[in-house]
Amino acid sequence: AYLATALTWPLLEPTPWALFFAAVMAGAWYGGLGPSLLAIALAAAAGNYAFLEPHRSLSAEPGKLLASLVFVLVALFIALLASARRRAMHRETQQRHWLEGTLSSIGDAVIATDTAGRITFMNAPAEQLTQWSRMEAAGRPLEDVFCIVNEATGEPVEDPVAKVLRSGT
């Protein structure tokens, strides 16, 4: 960010922090809170020294301090949001693996669908019952993969997913 700002300084002079925000976001996205805090500290020091008046000085003028403080606060907000997002994605992935492991180990056939009735998961007994592999069935409507018929009449039964979605129970 420092090098890119230095190379494009005449264009970025009114907003010297623009590319430093990008560095903070990249640090938070790929590394988490620690690397983004390091990026904030390095960006504040480099930006103060090289791009704020007086250039090549670490003086503590009020205008320079205010600009730096605003950068640090906004960058810290970005870092905290990105870090929270990263943790939430990690927890969601862990929960998904736990749930798939649990559903896969059940001895009965289990088919899960999204709210539109498209298959999102099938365990091995469901694959055997339907003669569809998990990969083939993924994204297809339940009624295409699992046809339910009334035992006494042999007539097709209403799609249970459609019934649940319609009734809300």
Side-chain angles (χ1 to χ4, degrees):
Y2 177 86
L3 183 60
T5 302
L7 291 173
T8 58
W9 180 241
L11 297 172
L12 292 177
E13 189 168 357
T15 57
W17 302 110
L19 297 176
F20 290 108
F21 281 122
V24 170
M25 285 186 273
W29 185 269
Y30 292 108
L33 187 59
S36 63
L37 292 176
L38 177 62
I40 292 169
L42 292 174
N48 278 336
Y49 181 76
F51 303 114
L52 296 181
E53 294 289 338
H55 298 294
R56 312 276 187 263
S57 167
L58 291 176
S59 67
E61 295 179 10
K64 192 174 190 177
L65 287 176
L66 182 61
S68 298
L69 180 62
V70 169
F71 165 74
V72 168
L73 291 175
V74 172
L76 187 58
F77 181 68
I78 290 168
L80 291 172
L81 283 179
S83 178
R85 179 189 175 280
R86 184 180 167 96
R87 284 191 311 272
M89 288 178 62
H90 179 71
R91 281 193 305 271
E92 187 270 336
T93 300
Q94 285 180 321
Q95 289 286 21
R96 180 176 298 277
H97 288 302
W98 177 81
L99 181 61
E100 285 185 4
T102 301
L103 293 177
S104 293
S105 66
I106 294 174
D108 293 329
V110 176
I111 301 174
T113 68
D114 60 15
T115 57
R118 292 182 303 266
I119 295 175
T120 58
F121 174 84
M122 290 175 56
N123 66 357
E127 288 178 329
Q128 292 171 349
L129 177 69
T130 63
Q131 299 297 304
W132 286 75
S133 74
R134 184 182 307 188
M135 298 300 276
E136 293 172 328
R140 292 183 180 266
L142 177 64
E143 63 268 11
D144 289 357
V145 176
F146 185 57
C147 301
I148 305 171
V149 294
N150 183 303
E151 185 177 22
T153 65
E155 294 293 315
V157 175
E158 180 185 7
D159 175 17
V161 174
K163 186 176 180 180
V164 165
L165 291 174
R166 187 179 60 252
S167 69
T169 57

